[in-house]
Amino acid sequence: MIQSQLFYNLKKDKGSYISFGIVILITAIMLNLALVLVFQVDRAYDNKFEALDTATINVCIPQIQDTDTLKDDIKALESVSEVECREAVFLEAVVKDFRGTDFSMNTVFYNKDESRDMNKLDIKEESAESTKESIYLPLYVASFGEFGLDDEIIYEIGDKKHTFLVSGVLEEMQYGNYGKGLMGAYLPKSVYEEFASEYEEHMVTEYSIIANDNTEINALNNEISSLLEEKSITMLTSCDKASTKDTRTMVCNLLILVLLAFALVILLVSVFLCKFRISNSIEEDMVNMGVLKALGYTGNMIIGSVVLPYLMVTLVASLFGVIASYGILPSLSELLTLQAGFSFRLLFDIKGFICVETILVFIVTVFTYTAAKRIRKLQPINAIRGNSEGKAIKKNYFPLEETHGNTKLLLVLKQMFSNGKQNALLFGVSFVLTILIAFASTLFYNVIVEPNNFISTLSEEMPEIVIYPKEQHEATIVSDLQSNSDIKTVLKYTMGTVNIDDVPVTVFACEDFSKVSNDLCYLGENPDEKNEIALGSSFEGKYKLGEQIEIQNGDISCSYEITGFVQSVNYQGNVCELSMEGYAALNSESIVPSLYVYLQDGTDVESLIADIEEQHGDMISNQVNYQKMTETTQEMYAGITSIIVIVIFVLTILIALFVLYIVIKTLLVQRKQELGIYKAIGYSNWQLMVQVMGSFLPSSALAVLLSSGLGLVYVPQMNQFIFQTIGAMKNNMEVSFTFLMIFALIQIVVNFIISISLTKPIKKISAYALIKED
Amino acid sequence: MAVEKEILISAKNLKKEFRMGDTSQMIFENLSLDIYKGDFTVIMGASGAGKSTLMYSLSGMDRPTEGSIIFSDKEITKYNDDKLAIFRRESCGFVFQQIYLLEKMSLMDNVLTAGALGKNNKKEVIQRAKELFELVNIPAVTQKKFSTQVSGGEAQRAGIVRAIINNPEVVFADEPTGALNSNNSEAVLNVFTKIHNEGQSIIMVTHDKKTALRGNRILYIKDGQIFGDCSLENYKEANKEREQKLDEFLAEMGW
Ligand SMILES: Nc1ncnc2c1ncn2[C@@H]1O[C@H](COP(=O)(O)OP(=O)(O)OP(=O)(O)O)[C@@H](O)[C@H]1O
Ligand SMILES: [Mg+2]
């Protein structure tokens, strides 16, 4: 019995249900993608860790400091279950032509053929013949750097170039990604031996340690560092499973965050929509419902016939949404594989499916039921007469006689004010959608229009050129460069590694931090004096401004006063800043800083590098076009950002379309007779379209403008939140008011165009039908 | 005397056919008719004879299947929808049986909403609306009420004010008293008589003899044709003679 009523409802309002269904479908896609990532990515890492017997923690120490008993000593530690050690070469190398630029990173070269019980290598590709200079690359280096099998790869160490041939690509789980600034490279036995013989002073011993089952990684970390400290052994690198996972999943976690936020917003919009639709259909169907009640149907039966169509649509749409999301997953996995450094396939997830269905059905039920509840209170006789509270007219807004102004304009105002509910809905939806647009447009602005804002947030100092001078020529070349009119500034800058609390920490040392282009300091000040230091964000909990801190570098240790805290996305906050003299104090030999060169606007970097090479080629060991490197990074982000911005835009417009569709449809149904009367009086289609649009567009336009304006306040907060989750305590993202307004205007124009096409059916309402009805 | 009258609407060879899927229904065919300026023309006929259909064709609210309608030299059958809307706005006023006032506003605002489409400025429109409300005996307090708060007769009189606010060439009324009790009917009809005597052309469809008496020309539709055409003097007051003449005409028509 009630089924026929239910199908009547479904059929009567087909368009609205379809719109609602599509919005739910989009929600389900996002939600399911996020959930599949949440449920599977973490497990994929753990499985891979297990499959390759990855050590809990890997520590490198200089080989000369290694002792015969160290392995047993480590093994004897309380939290340690197993230890394995092997030799390797650890040094800073510049990889040439890495995605078209030179990439400098700390690299650990291993003998690939040495047998391993831990940190096993999973060789994915291998070329048939092995040449003398073959090298096996981790998947990141290969895929990010764009090195294929049998390609050449050049590592520049000091001023010596080593050319290898890529003979294999492998997956390993020991290192993070470039964010950690530490990477492995794997050479066949003979190649390794020859290579190692050249760099004896860089030989290290790596201890791979597996912890007892229930040991905290931090506790293990502490035990190992105190053991090494006790024995005055320098810890060169330390790399644990947890931080490896963290750096590798950064992009994935951001993605999950964004997907969830979107799903939430869209879900919010969709439930408001169905609530709105239900209240209106109760008005429209009042008589029908009264008759049903008079016939003896109970309130719940009628509520069921209103709520069930929405539940059915939700069930079906979310099912299709889940299915559709699996169409997107492969490309998503591919994107994440690049980040993860191992390929993983995301599989059908019954848990995710059940979650999506339950969440959506539950929320839709709650909202539709509360909206439909008042059907129960409906008295049949009142319902038949069409007397519901909703229909009672409360006020004659803007009485035409007394209010000054154009009558046609006042009619629009009348409409606007007597449709308060609909305007509130549109205002809310437009406001929320604009938040997404404002966020997306700011991202767009900072990545594509002002790329430095974004890049500098994610990186350290960014000169245009980095020059590595030969020691004896440093002074000459500095003064020569400074007299070059194309060059704005030359800054001595160097990077190194020291130990703070036995943790390896990357040092940024500069002769004058007031001249840097990217001020990393987010709290306090940069170091200026010899005895001053600024620490990375990871130390913020442990130390306070003004405190003294002990820093080690090998056998030398010095004490510094903490003047500030600096951020670093790439080293997870394990960094510090020292003045050049301050850093020199930690080194027994004199340091040769690299020269960071900043150019006047509009100078051609390539030709300047060529000039410098020509004039000073014998005085320098290397030059890096840093600007090119920045550009490459920017291109990468620009690609991703453009996709995000386009997706957000398309989604917003789609949602706006569905919301407007439902609102306008409802309006036209409700006002059919009224519009007929207007037509009979002689109002033209266009006048009526303007009147109808005028009754709701201003509120949505106002919401868009207001929300865009407020973007100046909330977008920085959103950015702050997002960047903090990835470790950037302060970000250089700018919110451009002009840009916000441009996007707001686009949005308003799009809404206008959508509205015009949706109000077209007014043409089909005829004054004549008015007379013929009833 | 009728010969000297100026023709307001001239319909030639009108045909109206309703198609419903495979079947079709012919309402009238080859119907020609002239309506004169200043006349209070009443259209009568059996239910379903096509009275409303004819009237709405003449007013440009509906389109005949074939034939032409010339309305003060303008061939409105050639107009598109927008042009027809402008034509209606400038030349026609409508009074409906269901009255159809806009629910969300007062009687006054209903009238001003129509008045906004006319050529006069707002002040003049308000002035004229007040005069017309006075003419139809609706006091200022009632003018401010919503259509749902007034009696049917008051609503319909406001409907007439709305119809004539822009000085239309002709007022079309389809059973304007059909939904009213006799007291209210009387008041509404008095308004029609009043404006007719001031020179307003009126075309009215009715079932009711008493209503028809107010006209000075009665047309009777039957079998898709103008079956009869009866002229009367302009109405001054109810009198036996006039009533008898109409009775005879209607008897002849088979009423
Ligand atoms: N849109 C339509 N589609 C099909 N048939 C229609 C349509 N409009 C009117 N008709 C038919 O045309 C005929 C004439 O209708 P019309 O409304 O003109 O009659 P009427 O003389 O005004 O009757 P009444 O006195 O009952 O108002 C009727 O039989 C009606 O069923
Ligand atoms: Mg009729």
Side-chain angles (χ1 to χ4, degrees), chain A residues 393 395-396 398-405 407-408 410-411 414-415 418-419 671 673-674 677-685 687 767-768 770-772 774, chain B residues 18 52-53 56 61-62 81-82 85-86 88-89 94 96 98 100-106 108-109 112-114 116-117 122 126 130 143-144 146 148 162 174:
Chain A
I393 301 139
K395 196 164 183 269
N396 185 20
F398 302 99
L400 299 174
E401 187 189 345
E402 287 123 61
T403 321
H404 288 285
T407 307
K408 285 171 207 152
L410 291 176
L411 284 175
K414 259 179 188 295
Q415 280 303 332
S418 50
N419 290 315
R671 295 185 57 196
Q673 193 186 55
E674 201 183 328
I677 297 174
Y678 274 107
K679 282 205 169 180
I681 298 175
Y683 277 81
S684 67
N685 288 324
Q687 279 175 321
Y768 185 65
L770 173 77
I771 297 135
K772 283 291 160 190
D774 306 351
Chain B
F18 286 113
S52 302
T53 307
Y56 287 118
M61 192 87 109
D62 191 13
D81 283 355
D82 281 343
I86 294 168
R88 283 200 302 268
R89 166 198 306 175
F94 290 92
F96 308 100
Q98 296 88 340
Y100 289 133
L101 291 178
L102 295 163
E103 283 179 17
K104 288 177 196 154
M105 45 177 94
S106 66
M108 177 54 110
D109 284 4
L112 296 185
T113 301
L117 294 172
K122 192 171 169 182
I126 292 177
K130 281 183 177 160
Q143 290 168 25
K144 289 210 171 62
F146 286 98
T148 45
R162 183 179 68 180
D174 191 354

Side-chain angles (χ1 to χ4, degrees), chain B residues 8-9 35 39 71 91-94 163 167-172 200-203:
Chain B
L8 177 66
I9 307 172
I35 302 281
D39 268 8
F71 192 115
S91 308
C92 310
F94 290 92
N167 295 308
E169 291 180 64
V170 61
V171 171
F172 293 92
Q200 177 70 57
S201 311
I202 300 169
I203 301 177

